[in-house]
Amino acid sequence: MNRDIRNVYCVGRNYGKHAEELGNDVPDSPMIFMKPTHAIVPLDDQVISLPGRYGDVHYEAELVVRIGGRYKPGLAVEALIDSFALGLDLTLREVQTVLKQDRHPWLRAKGFAGSAPLTAFRPFEGLDALTETSFALRINDEERQRGALRDAIFGLPELFEHIGTHYGLDEGDLIFTGTPAGVGKLGDGDELALYWDDLREGGCRIALTPASSD
């Protein structure tokens, strides 16, 4: 899946209620971090093994857009979006807490192999549909998260301008646009499924590897 993926940008604290549930301040400008392309794995109903010896692994469901061309100032959002998918920003929460306290980068907590499961990409059908349609995560057939890009603090125009200006944005780049409230820890054997409105887009089963085999 990752052969055509270049940079994987992620937006932190882009939903106010999610920032509140973790006790974080709401940012004044987009908070951007990155994941390696090795973090991408397909959500095609396989088993995803995650490191279980570092503490809780949290799920964060997100809308993901793929960029189809080079960013230029003033270029319309519609001209840049190639397609979209749903994804999970998996996080080693206790590791992240220590890194934040030490003011270190989040890579160990956010960028481990398999930390960015991704559904198949859908064709882009217009900014209104992308912004207004809700996405959801169900775990063991129970809905845990539901959100829509219309509720994000920073919409796609602001994200594209910020990322494009400061870091560059070009064909093959992905943007994980942030997660709504409802994040929590995963358990060994959990069955996950992501939905676009009420259409199932993909899922997986979680295997948390113990210390002896990690």
Side-chain angles (χ1 to χ4, degrees):
M1 169 179 280
N2 63 359
R3 62 180 181 176
D4 297 322
I5 295 173
R6 299 182 63 187
N7 299 299
V8 182
Y9 295 106
C10 303
V11 185
R13 305 180 193 175
N14 200 24
Y15 287 77
K17 291 183 178 179
H18 168 59
E20 290 174 8
E21 71 181 350
L22 295 183
N24 294 319
D25 295 331
V26 174
D28 295 324
S29 63
M31 178 182 292
I32 307 300
F33 61 94
M34 299 185 72
K35 290 178 181 273
T37 56
H38 300 292
I40 300 292
V41 292
L43 272 170
D44 56 5
D45 297 305
Q46 83 284 36
V47 175
I48 295 180
S49 295
L50 301 174
R53 71 175 180 180
Y54 302 112
D56 294 343
V57 181
H58 277 210
Y59 57 82
E60 300 184 14
E62 309 205 6
L63 173 67
V64 182
V65 294
R66 184 184 187 277
I67 303 303
R70 177 167 295 183
Y71 168 82
K72 297 179 182 178
L75 195 63
V77 167
E78 291 86 346
L80 286 169
I81 300 175
D82 172 81
S83 52
F84 74 96
L86 300 179
L88 294 168
D89 168 17
L90 299 179
T91 305
L92 298 173
R93 190 67 73 196
E94 293 166 45
V95 174
Q96 185 190 34
T97 297
V98 173
L99 293 173
K100 287 164 64 176
Q101 290 172 348
D102 293 338
R103 298 187 178 183
H104 290 169
W106 294 357
L107 184 61
R108 285 186 56 234
K110 292 281 195 177
F112 57 92
S115 65
L118 200 62
T119 69
F121 281 90
R122 276 175 163 260
F124 174 59
E125 296 180 349
L127 188 57
D128 287 345
L130 194 64
T131 302
E132 295 298 323
T133 304
S134 66
F135 59 94
L137 169 66
R138 298 180 189 175
I139 300 180
N140 303 324
D141 210 30
E142 176 187 350
E143 185 168 297
R144 300 290 184 87
Q145 288 185 280
R146 181 172 288 272
L149 196 55
R150 64 174 177 269
D151 299 321
I153 298 168
F154 303 105
L156 292 181
E158 294 92 341
L159 295 179
F160 285 13
E161 180 182 8
H162 182 88
I163 296 171
T165 299
H166 290 281
Y167 313 112
L169 201 55
D170 208 336
E171 182 177 1
D173 290 344
L174 302 184
I175 302 177
F176 280 65
T177 58
T179 193
V183 304
K185 67 178 181 179
L186 293 169
D188 189 51
D190 278 348
E191 300 276 352
L192 278 62
L194 284 168
Y195 288 79
W196 180 242
D197 197 3
D198 291 319
L199 297 176
R200 188 180 187 277
E201 295 295 305
C204 67
R205 184 167 66 85
I206 298 299
L208 296 177
T209 59
S212 60
S213 61
D214 182 30

